[in-house]
Amino acid sequence: MKGLVCFGLVILSMAMSACHAPSNPVVKTHEYTIEQKCPTLKNMKVGEVLIFNVSENPSTGYQWQLLEPLKIFKTEETYLQNNSDEKAVGASGTKTFRFTAEKPGQDYIQLVHVRAWESSQQPDQKWLCRIRVS
């Protein structure tokens, strides 16, 4: 009888711990750099993240920008200056774009390396990615 009660308690505790398991599954992240081309059509699912990292030196006037707002992605931009150049004027760093798929559909990420005041100029560099989210 004592063994049966212990067995029941073990089963009950396992069931309780399953109820308290983390509900956040691991989010799939797709990472790219300027050297990596995006596939012709990138397939993603809602909740997945696409990250684009690229070197940038804003003191030159050139910065990476999203050409047009996206409809199905949440977009976040960050810039982190290189540690070795903390006190240097005109130091370079890394620009990171984080795109989180919020709803199904298709969108076209167009990132360009331009000077803001030269809008008629062709971009120095660009990175493009057509994405379908399901």
Side-chain angles (χ1 to χ4, degrees):
M1 180 73 167
K2 203 177 203 181
L4 187 56
V5 170
C6 287
F7 178 73
L9 287 174
V10 169
I11 295 298
L12 181 61
S13 68
M14 288 172 57
M16 295 286 286
S17 66
C19 291
H20 291 90
S23 60
N24 293 345
V26 175
V27 174
K28 187 169 184 181
T29 302
H30 311 268
E31 289 197 47
Y32 290 92
T33 64
I34 190 66
E35 292 84 22
Q36 299 168 304
K37 291 187 185 246
C38 188
T40 304
L41 180 62
K42 175 88 180 147
N43 288 302
M44 293 176 61
K45 294 184 177 168
V46 171
E48 291 184 359
V49 175
L50 185 142
I51 295 176
F52 178 75
N53 292 306
V54 65
S55 293
E56 181 179 87
N57 188 341
S59 69
T60 65
Y62 281 96
Q63 293 184 329
W64 282 94
Q65 299 176 1
L66 185 61
L67 197 57
E68 293 181 19
L70 301 175
K71 299 175 216 89
I72 63 172
F73 287 93
K74 175 183 172 190
T75 304
E76 299 170 77
E77 295 178 38
T78 56
Y79 174 77
L80 182 61
Q81 186 173 326
N82 293 339
N83 287 338
S84 61
D85 298 334
E86 277 183 31
K87 296 180 182 179
V89 176
S92 64
T94 301
K95 178 86 168 245
T96 300
F97 290 88
R98 180 182 177 92
F99 304 100
T100 304
E102 293 191 310
K103 57 186 177 181
Q106 286 195 38
D107 230 330
Y108 191 48
I109 298 173
Q110 300 175 79
L111 296 169
V112 292
H113 192 233
V114 295
R115 291 184 189 158
W117 65 87
E118 295 179 340
S119 58
S120 63
Q121 179 186 356
Q122 289 286 51
D124 177 56
Q125 294 179 346
K126 60 184 173 180
W127 189 83
L128 311 170
C129 192
R130 185 173 304 281
I131 301 174
R132 178 186 302 143
V133 176
S134 58

